Amino acid sequence: MKHVGENVVRIEAEALRVLADRIAGPMAEAFNRAVELIYRCRGRVVVTGMGKSGIIARKIAATLNSTGTPALFMHPVEAVHGDLGMVVGGDTVLALSASGETEEILRLLATLKRLQVPLIALTCDEIYSRDAGERARATPIQSSTLAGAAEVALDCSVAEEACSLGLAPTASTTCMLALGDALAMTLAEKRGFKEEDFANLHPGGKLGKRLARVESLMHTGDAVPRVSPSTTMPDVIYEMSRKKLGVTAVVEGEKLVGVISDGDLRRLLELKGKDALDLSAGECMTRNPRTIRGNEFAATALALMEEKKITSLAVVDGNGKLEGIVHLHDLWGAQMM
């Protein structure tokens, strides 16, 4: 049975290789036109498909959404019973159909033409030759009804399905999925989609935790231990114990001027004994402490803590105003470690 599994993967891998050659060669112009249509879309990309193609369509819509291109999935059957109302002027429709003759999809064409929304078709009828010797040829050799009705038709055809019966959509749906990913990633690159944009769209789950911002994890307001430079050490110790972060910020007004940590206290007591209690926070604090901005990634805070072997960072704005404190325990709670 392992040979069956190996054969399936090899057939699909070969189909993807041929698809990549097609995008680089005869389908390059059509692919670029599809990207440009979606890029200039003032509304959303409405992705539709039936059966297995519909499942792939849902995933493509999700990938577009998560990489900066607003999209939604429209079930073609529900569409002809009222859901076509979700398609409005300014949208672009991306329709998936292996044969290009799916009845439920074709029933949408008249309305889409009336709305004058651009239509991009992903079909598995052979629009461009798969013959190795004809890869440079960009002239369509045949066209399904859907492909013929579309402003841009993209070819997901395969030499064979990975199903031993040649019936179950396997290699063809893999190519559809890959082509959808190719469109989404090209659009993300064209839009200048950055890591911080990705983080804003993924606040939950493991990705969201890894890309969380310091400001979403830090302690703020009354939860932040803070004293003035003139505060006596007994009151400093009380503030640190009460807020339970193992550190306190030393501020003049709202500006951070130093910090005192549990480690600073231990070293001070070892050096001066009970005389340390007669000192002020300004005399004991660490000046120019390590700080971080609230809009930095939590992963950056973690890396800084590990590098400097500290457990807390003061969070400040561009003027040095104290905004909060982020603790190592906060990063543990976010399962970043």
Side-chain angles (χ1 to χ4, degrees):
M1 289 298 99
K2 70 178 182 180
H3 297 300
V4 175
E6 175 189 350
N7 192 48
V8 167
V9 175
R10 290 192 184 281
I11 289 172
E12 296 197 5
E14 174 62 16
L16 290 174
R17 186 193 65 76
V18 173
L19 175 63
D21 287 345
R22 196 179 301 141
I23 294 172
M27 200 169 69
E29 182 182 347
F31 182 85
N32 290 335
R33 279 193 288 123
V35 169
E36 196 64 27
L37 271 178
I38 298 174
Y39 181 73
R40 296 185 179 280
C41 174
R42 293 179 289 106
R44 300 155 303 174
V45 180
V46 180
V47 193
T48 188
M50 271 297 295
K52 304 296 187 298
S53 296
I55 295 170
I56 300 301
R58 287 180 186 273
K59 195 275 179 183
I60 292 173
T63 301
L64 287 168
N65 277 321
S66 69
T67 52
T69 300
L72 55 86
F73 172 75
M74 179 179 69
H75 195 291
V77 175
E78 299 296 336
V80 296
H81 290 280
D83 278 5
L84 256 175
M86 68 175 65
V87 182
V88 298
D91 289 347
T92 296
V93 174
L94 183 61
L96 282 65
S97 169
S99 65
E101 303 293 346
T102 306
E103 180 183 351
E104 293 86 351
I105 299 288
L106 298 185
R107 290 167 69 187
L108 306 178
L109 293 180
T111 302
L112 296 179
K113 292 299 180 183
R114 189 179 73 249
L115 292 172
Q116 297 184 325
V117 295
L119 173 64
I120 300 169
L122 271 67
T123 68
C124 292
D125 57 308
E126 188 180 354
I127 299 174
Y128 302 102
S129 175
R130 287 193 299 268
D131 187 285
E134 298 184 77
R135 280 183 191 157
R137 188 174 74 183
T139 305
I141 60 176
Q142 65 182 36
S143 179
S144 64
T145 303
L146 180 60
E151 276 72 17
V152 181
L154 299 177
D155 180 347
C156 297
S157 62
V158 296
E160 60 179 322
E161 295 287 8
C163 167
S164 59
L165 300 176
L167 299 174
T170 45
S172 58
T173 47
T174 298
C175 284
M176 275 189 172
L177 182 60
L179 187 51
D181 285 344
L183 288 170
M185 296 305 104
T186 305
L187 285 160
E189 186 78 18
K190 191 175 177 68
R191 295 184 196 283
F193 194 74
K194 295 182 173 59
E195 191 176 36
E196 51 265 35
D197 301 313
F198 192 85
N200 290 334
L201 296 176
H202 296 76
K206 190 171 182 180
L207 281 174
K209 291 167 184 173
R210 184 165 62 86
L211 297 171
R213 304 285 180 166
V214 168
E215 60 194 359
S216 69
L217 299 174
M218 69 185 185
H219 298 265
T220 60
D222 291 338
V224 178
R226 68 180 76 201
V227 297
S228 69
S230 61
T231 303
T232 60
M233 289 309 294
D235 289 335
V236 169
I237 295 170
Y238 174 73
E239 177 73 355
M240 291 172 66
S241 300
R242 191 164 65 94
K243 302 296 176 65
K244 299 178 181 179
L245 289 180
V247 68
T248 185
V250 183
V251 295
E252 286 185 333
E254 293 294 323
K255 187 173 183 179
L256 180 74
V257 294
V259 297
I260 300 173
S261 68
D262 282 341
D264 293 331
L265 282 178
R266 288 194 301 272
R267 287 185 288 272
L268 187 64
L269 289 170
E270 289 173 2
L271 182 65
K272 295 186 176 291
K274 65 179 182 179
D275 292 339
L277 299 178
D278 297 327
L279 300 174
S280 67
E283 295 172 302
C284 302
M285 69 184 182
T286 297
R287 298 179 183 275
N288 302 315
R290 294 286 174 179
T291 61
I292 195 166
R293 297 284 188 89
N295 61 357
E296 293 279 0
F297 288 120
T300 304
L302 176 60
L304 188 55
M305 289 182 194
E306 290 176 338
E307 178 190 352
K308 302 301 178 183
K309 295 181 172 56
I310 54 179
T311 58
S312 297
L313 282 171
V315 184
V316 298
D317 67 9
N319 297 316
K321 177 183 175 182
L322 180 69
E323 294 186 327
I325 287 179
V326 62
H327 194 277
L328 194 61
H329 290 168
D330 302 320
L331 305 181
W332 284 340
Q335 299 177 13
M336 292 188 59
M337 304 180 65

